[in-house]
Amino acid sequence: MVGRSNRPSALSATPGLAPQPQVTISPDNASVSAVLPTGESVTVLLHGATVTSWCDAAGNEKLWLSEAAKLDGSKAVRGGIPLVFPVFGTDKSHAAVAGLPQHGFARTSRFEFLGKSTSESLTPSTAGPSSSKNNAADLTVKLDFGLSGAGLDAETRKLWPYDFNLIYSVNLNRESLTTGLVVSNDGDKPFECQVLMHTYLRVQDITKVEIKGLENKSYVDKVDGAKTKTQPDGPVTITGETDRVYTTASAPTAGSGSSSESTSPGAPVTVLEAGKTVFTVAQDNLPNVVVWNPWTDKAKGMSDFEPKDGFRNMLCIEPGSVGGWQTLEPGEAYEGAQTISCS
């Protein structure tokens, strides 16, 4: 065929279709990343389905990740959003989880990447060509990850011999990040579990941080002998080691997940720095919030916490269901989610 100097070039995109989110798997098959056309991004490590990065359109990181965090699967990740399941902390008195490691096995298990999906509030067919810019801005990308009883290693399976399926979804849009899970009992005997999203938020100066939305709520103070206290009618401030489990709503109904059975969402937790709102954390069917900062001495004692003064730049706001036990009968499922919004 004779070449033509003025032949048309290949199309870079389908005409009329707004730019789409880009999803890539790392060359070593260790992580999955998604980037919106407007620049917002998220990275999820398959080890634990741990979110290790969440950036806004300008590339500003919203999560704190230790410089010494182990990303090779050798231990749980220090920072980001580790996933706690099926036990919060340790509980030697509870036979079903007595042998499990701190915070269970989900954060140290390798998840399977199940795929991605996108959604948008406008479509070219209904919005018209002039709406393409707004169309791109309204895109959301969802990444799904899975873990099941059959996928656990033999030793973990021996310690927790239940048939379950856990689907963990990470939803990114321009203004927020939502992480949610669905746990189902696929076996023939009931099991009890706890879940929590151990979110490390990045702040500039912890001494200038105030946390609102927990006023008058009951909490367990793990730094003070696990005493039950009530938060005064004022914001929470961090002035030393802090480890509190707040109850913000009634416990979910067994097998809940539908809108009629879920706990009603309470007021969101708002994080302010120097008087300005920097994060808003909303819970869906998760009745507890853990507020944690290791401060000076505890940070020094953790080998994977670097830099040692990094506690000044992080704050854990951790939605979960950890005040008791969620019992799932065969065939039942439980779901919960958090949505973190930036100012």
Side-chain angles (χ1 to χ4, degrees):
M1 178 181 293
V2 178
R4 292 181 293 161
S5 61
N6 61 344
R7 65 186 301 179
S9 58
L11 294 172
S12 59
T14 303
L17 182 64
Q20 298 295 299
Q22 299 298 309
V23 175
T24 58
I25 300 175
S26 64
D28 60 357
N29 198 33
S31 63
V32 180
S33 297
V35 182
L36 297 183
T38 44
E40 295 81 4
S41 65
V42 67
T43 299
V44 184
L45 195 67
L46 291 179
H47 176 63
T50 306
V51 179
T52 56
S53 176
W54 170 36
C55 294
D56 63 18
N60 299 310
E61 180 61 64
K62 300 301 180 181
L63 301 177
W64 185 87
L65 183 68
S66 169
E67 294 177 4
K70 302 297 184 182
L71 305 180
D72 60 359
S74 60
K75 65 180 299 185
V77 177
R78 175 70 64 187
I81 311 179
L83 180 59
V84 172
F85 173 85
V87 60
F88 173 61
T90 57
D91 190 343
K92 301 302 181 184
S93 66
H94 201 83
V97 297
L100 294 179
Q102 171 86 358
H103 291 332
F105 53 74
R107 65 180 189 156
T108 55
S109 297
R110 183 178 174 88
F111 280 66
E112 179 184 359
F113 177 47
L114 302 178
K116 61 98 173 178
S117 58
T118 60
S119 61
E120 53 194 1
S121 61
L122 298 172
T123 62
S125 60
T126 59
S130 62
S131 299
S132 60
K133 182 177 180 181
N134 291 332
N135 192 18
D138 291 337
L139 281 174
T140 296
V141 61
K142 180 166 78 80
L143 308 175
D144 290 326
F145 304 86
L147 180 68
S148 67
L152 299 178
D153 62 73
E155 183 60 29
T156 303
R157 182 76 174 167
K158 182 178 178 181
L159 294 173
W160 210 71
Y162 299 101
D163 292 322
F164 72 95
N165 192 45
L166 191 163
I167 305 297
Y168 187 58
S169 299
V170 177
N171 293 259
L172 172 70
N173 64 32
R174 290 205 66 188
E175 298 176 348
S176 66
L177 182 75
T178 297
T179 60
L181 57 81
V182 179
V183 181
S184 61
N185 184 345
D186 294 346
D188 57 5
K189 55 185 176 181
F191 64 75
E192 295 177 311
C193 65
Q194 297 173 326
V195 300
L196 178 129
M197 298 168 197
H198 199 319
T199 308
Y200 290 72
L201 300 175
R202 178 177 288 275
V203 298
Q204 296 299 314
D205 184 349
I206 191 64
T207 65
K208 296 180 180 180
V209 166
E210 293 181 325
I211 307 163
K212 295 185 177 181
L214 299 173
E215 296 83 355
N216 305 309
K217 301 295 186 183
S218 173
Y219 69 91
V220 174
D221 191 343
K222 298 176 72 175
V223 175
D224 188 14
K227 295 178 181 177
T228 299
K229 303 178 180 180
T230 300
Q231 178 64 34
D233 189 13
V236 178
T237 57
I238 309 298
T239 58
E241 182 184 348
T242 303
D243 193 353
R244 302 176 180 180
V245 182
Y246 285 85
T247 298
T248 58
S250 59
T253 305
S256 66
S258 68
S259 58
S260 62
E261 296 176 315
S262 302
T263 61
S264 57
V269 175
T270 303
V271 178
L272 300 91
E273 189 165 1
K276 178 184 177 183
T277 298
V278 288
F279 295 105
T280 301
V281 183
Q283 305 149 254
D284 185 357
N285 210 36
L286 297 172
N288 302 110
V289 172
V290 175
V291 177
W292 184 74
N293 184 288
W295 210 251
T296 308
D297 292 342
K298 191 153 191 174
K300 288 180 180 177
M302 292 186 287
S303 62
D304 61 350
F305 195 100
E306 291 291 347
K308 294 306 180 186
D309 64 352
F311 69 88
R312 300 183 183 277
N313 306 120
M314 54 75 60
L315 170 68
C316 282
I317 301 292
E318 313 168 30
S321 180
V322 298
W325 294 91
Q326 181 69 37
T327 301
L328 291 183
E329 298 292 337
E332 287 187 335
Y334 169 71
E335 61 184 284
Q338 67 166 349
T339 297
I340 314 167
S341 303
C342 296
S343 59

